[in-house]
Amino acid sequence: MYKAVFIDVDGTLIKSDHTVSEPTRQTIQKLLNKNILVVLVSARPIDGILSISKNIGTLDLPIASLNGGYIVLQNEVIFESSIDLETTALLHKQLMEQHVTLLYYRQRACFGEMMDIHVEKEQRVTKVPIIIQPFQETMDHWKKEQSGPNKILIISSPAAIQKIQKKLKGIYENELNICSSKPIYLEVMNAAASKANAVKFLLNKYHIKREEIIVIGDNFNDQEMIQFGGMGIAMGNAPDEVKAVADFVTDTNNNDGVHKAITKFIPLQA
């Protein structure tokens, strides 16, 4: 019997118009009525997830944001990891040699050095005010707080992202978690932060076994948690490499893939 369902947000739970379909919303409500844990696991910052969580009725349950780097339960932070400032400064120097857009996420804030079309879109979609200021000001602020970013988002062309990912993995393989969430996005976190590790953390917290969970996702940053899940499900719109590690491939996010996957494996009749 499945006791928990972990669901990615973009490309999985929500459609291309950023809404949750009514069949999917109703299916999640039925899971909750059966006391099945439903957790959203997303690359988004927490404030970019809360309205979606409210819509599907999971606000009182854990939310794993920033690819597992910041996990919140009812406004209480229950897990957090960050990139140390020395590594952050080195990464910034290395990346500024490329033609990229950089965003630095720390808890419920986001920092960037310049506003461009990528930053505008990220702010619009995630609904997080992005503070535009020189990188050194951001670093000075973090030094005073003795903190650092939970996630660095690199935005560039698909070809550039592939090259940067290969280069960074060669340098930081054991220190950072580096993964793509879409062709133009590269996500960089502390090695302790990943969607799979977020799932493992919450299984331990709720005393749930690996074989008792369903995991649903659509992209490369979901790949590890799909492999880990007792039932790992890839969306129909997922890349072939992600589908290859899944136990089952459902329909697309625009065609009720989450609803179809859940109702296939969990009986929800009244």
Side-chain angles (χ1 to χ4, degrees):
M1 177 181 174
Y2 293 112
K3 295 182 179 179
V5 181
F6 295 83
I7 311 172
D8 168 55
V9 174
D10 291 279
T12 300
L13 177 67
I14 62 174
K15 301 187 295 181
S16 297
D17 63 1
H18 304 288
T19 64
V20 179
S21 75
E22 188 58 22
T24 297
R25 193 191 67 79
Q26 290 182 8
T27 292
I28 290 172
Q29 189 58 58
K30 290 176 181 178
L31 291 176
L32 299 174
N33 291 341
K34 291 173 70 73
N35 293 317
I36 294 173
L37 182 71
V38 178
V39 179
L40 300 187
V41 188
S42 177
R44 289 183 178 219
I46 190 70
D47 290 322
I49 308 172
L50 291 175
S51 62
I52 300 168
S53 181
K54 181 179 180 180
N55 180 35
I56 64 174
T58 61
L59 270 181
D60 59 342
L61 297 175
I63 299 172
S65 68
L66 299 176
N67 282 317
Y70 190 69
I71 306 176
V72 173
L73 174 59
Q74 295 177 331
N75 287 321
E76 178 187 353
V77 181
I78 58 174
F79 176 84
E80 181 178 3
S81 70
S82 60
I83 303 170
D84 69 81
L85 290 186
E86 183 178 350
T87 302
T88 300
L90 184 58
L91 270 169
H92 180 83
K93 182 179 179 180
Q94 292 166 333
L95 291 167
M96 287 310 294
E97 297 171 357
Q98 315 291 325
H99 295 290
V100 301
T101 297
L102 295 175
L103 290 173
Y104 295 85
Y105 284 94
R106 169 71 188 166
Q107 296 184 338
R108 304 181 80 151
C110 182
F111 302 87
E113 284 199 285
M114 59 178 290
M115 183 65 70
D116 62 16
I117 58 172
H118 298 301
V119 175
E120 289 174 355
K121 181 179 180 182
E122 184 74 2
Q123 183 167 263
R124 185 170 63 252
V125 170
T126 63
K127 299 176 176 61
V128 177
I130 297 174
I131 300 166
I132 302 299
Q133 63 185 23
F135 176 71
Q136 191 56 52
E137 287 188 23
T138 302
M139 287 291 286
D140 291 342
H141 173 71
W142 286 335
K143 284 176 184 176
K144 290 178 183 177
E145 287 190 338
Q146 295 185 319
S147 64
N150 305 114
K151 183 183 87 167
I152 301 171
L153 177 61
I154 306 165
I155 311 174
S156 191
S157 68
I161 288 296
Q162 289 181 8
K163 290 179 181 178
I164 294 168
Q165 182 173 15
K166 184 177 180 180
K167 179 180 179 180
L168 294 184
K169 281 193 170 185
I171 301 171
Y172 300 102
E173 184 176 8
N174 299 317
E175 186 178 351
L176 299 174
N177 175 20
I178 302 164
C179 58
S180 175
S181 57
K182 61 173 65 175
I184 66 168
Y185 279 9
L186 189 62
E187 318 257 353
V188 181
M189 290 74 57
N190 182 289
S194 72
K195 290 189 176 187
N197 284 345
V199 172
K200 294 171 187 176
F201 173 83
L202 291 169
L203 292 192
N204 183 62
K205 178 177 177 62
Y206 286 92
H207 307 291
I208 296 173
K209 297 176 182 177
R210 175 180 179 178
E211 58 267 25
E212 295 174 327
I213 68 169
I214 290 175
V215 175
I216 312 174
D218 79 300
N219 222 310
F220 293 108
N221 59 330
D222 302 312
Q223 197 165 0
E224 187 184 356
M225 76 167 182
I226 290 172
Q227 286 179 292
F228 175 79
M231 173 57 63
I233 299 174
M235 300 298 292
N237 48 286
D240 289 341
E241 298 94 325
V242 176
K243 292 177 181 177
V245 305
D247 300 303
F248 179 75
V249 177
T250 185
D251 211 329
T252 67
N253 62 317
N254 288 325
N255 202 29
D256 295 324
V258 168
H259 158 73
K260 292 174 181 177
I262 292 171
T263 53
K264 178 176 177 64
F265 294 103
I266 301 178
L268 293 175
Q269 291 82 4

